[in-house]
Amino acid sequence: MSNPQPATVAPSKVTPISGFPEYLPAERIVEQRFLDVIRETFELHGFSSIETRAIEPVDRLLGKGGDTDKEIYGVSRLAGDDGDGARWGLHFDLTVPFARYVLENSGKLDFPFRRYQIQKAWRGERPQEGRYREFTQADIDVVDVGELSSHFEAEMPLVIADVFSRFPVGDFVIQVNNRKIPNGFYQGIGLTDVTTTLRIVDKLDRVGPEKVSAMLVESGATPEQAGMCLALAAIRTDDLSFVDRVRELGVTHPVLDEGLESLAAVIRTAMSHAPGRVVADLRIARGLDYYTGTVYETQIVGQEDWGSVCSGGRYDALASDGRNTYPGVGISIGVSRLLGLLIGKGLVTASRSTPAAVLVAVRDDGSREESVAVAAALRARGIACEVAPSAARFGKQIRYAERRGIPYVWFPGAGDSGDEVKDIRTGEQVPASADSWVAPAEDLRPTVTRTDV
């Protein structure tokens, strides 16, 4: 009996799915370098890494973050489902699963708990430039039991300033506000629907002050109250003078006083440790319902039309088990958003598309093992390399290295005294030993640079 033959599968057209980015090798190197910087900086500040599952119960995902039901991707089996629809959904951010993680593991964690998390999230929104259905976020949070010291709110922008200072993105600014300031201010001028007012003012960058004023009046504010809201939102300083400017508006309320004091502490710390990087910007509101104190947004100077690429804030009641409440403060870098804009506009580039710094040439098929031995010796010393795919003419092997951006080609047994290595950028070829050869550090791994400077 003859062996059965596999069924012939008709070729299908390969089409991309919008909102699910996939990078080419050089672009992936850019992403990895950014992630390296994030991870290293977070760990320098004492944050511990965790990873949570990709799915959460749908009712938990719907419980936080506003109107998110249309954004959640449901998860169910194609066959054997119980007919009740998806019980689970892919998480749309990392904060909601982190809150659940804290509740489940509270007896095993040391508080205040400092965590960082770099993972993908999924959101079923319309894809557009810098916004995706599948994306990577990098979050840090500090969570405590019962009460959280306010000094952690001042620490968040310092960590982000360290991260972005190492990115090849140019100048940046971290904008900070405290939700208690607009909350107390709005109540002080007689507005009772604080949440609606915050949501409208948060649209300032998108629709402008005239439309925001009209929307406030439409929601029940008087023209005078709308003008006061806009006056508060117009205050922006890189020092403590924002306090006097708010006081000059003549509004008093205990919650406003608390917010001004808290924000002043954040700005005072930033002036000492990250001068020029952090500003008090009283139009910043952040849309998610669970922020209760300091809020943050980060913009690239000269690219303000991108909006915020890093945001977060303080939350006092996101996680609670009925006995204990776990307040926290956190901030999230939109890694995919930032890289999508930088790569999409050609503003960053990698020096090569491979981690290999050396191509070990092959003289002929019989000497391949000699080349493999050289490569093994180089790798043992932490030098990334690859062996030439074929024993072609040396000129062809050099052109292969050039196409991949590999700076050095190694020629086993090419010299009178042994091996030689060639810097194909300069043409210099010198004797070398795989046990001792060194190269400039910037050549040993791909570098990522800004292209418009």
Side-chain angles (χ1 to χ4, degrees), residues 29-49:
I29 283 175
V30 173
E31 181 185 40
Q32 287 179 311
R33 292 295 172 263
F34 273 66
L35 293 175
D36 287 346
V37 166
I38 293 169
R39 183 180 63 255
E40 291 165 5
T41 308
F42 286 173
E43 292 183 356
L44 282 173
H45 284 264
F47 290 87
S48 299
S49 175

Side-chain angles (χ1 to χ4, degrees), residues 258-269:
E258 291 178 21
L260 289 172
E261 182 179 352
S262 295
L263 184 56
V266 173
I267 297 300
R268 188 178 296 112
T269 299

Side-chain angles (χ1 to χ4, degrees), residues 184-186 188-189 228 246-253 256-257:
F185 188 89
Y186 299 156
I189 63 175
M228 292 289 281
V246 174
R247 297 297 187 199
E248 290 168 1
L249 296 176
V251 179
T252 58
H253 194 278
L256 173 62
D257 294 340

Side-chain angles (χ1 to χ4, degrees), residues 129-201:
E129 187 179 44
R131 300 187 72 87
Y132 307 102
R133 291 170 171 161
E134 180 180 73
F135 51 93
T136 299
Q137 290 187 193
D139 290 18
I140 50 171
D141 286 84
V142 180
V143 173
D144 212 338
V145 183
E147 293 185 7
L148 179 74
S149 175
S150 60
H151 68 77
F152 290 115
E153 296 174 58
E155 181 182 357
M156 291 291 119
L158 302 185
V159 180
I160 296 306
D162 281 355
V163 171
F164 275 75
S165 293
R166 294 179 61 191
F167 284 165
V169 297
D171 201 8
F172 62 92
V173 61
I174 304 168
Q175 300 156 140
V176 188
N177 194 6
N178 190 293
R179 288 288 282 265
K180 294 180 180 179
I181 294 176
N183 286 3
F185 188 89
Y186 299 156
Q187 294 177 64
I189 63 175
L191 294 175
T192 56
D193 191 350
V194 171
T195 299
T196 297
T197 305
L198 276 170
R199 290 185 182 278
I200 293 173
V201 173

Side-chain angles (χ1 to χ4, degrees), residues 373-379 381 383 410 419 432-437:
V374 170
L378 291 172
R379 291 174 189 140
R381 298 176 51 231
I383 299 172
W410 194 283
D419 298 355
S433 167
D435 296 325
S436 59
W437 177 77

Side-chain angles (χ1 to χ4, degrees), residues 326-344:
Y326 300 88
V329 61
I331 197 163
S332 174
I333 301 173
V335 179
S336 294
R337 175 172 175 74
L338 176 61
L339 289 177
L341 292 164
L342 289 170
I343 293 172

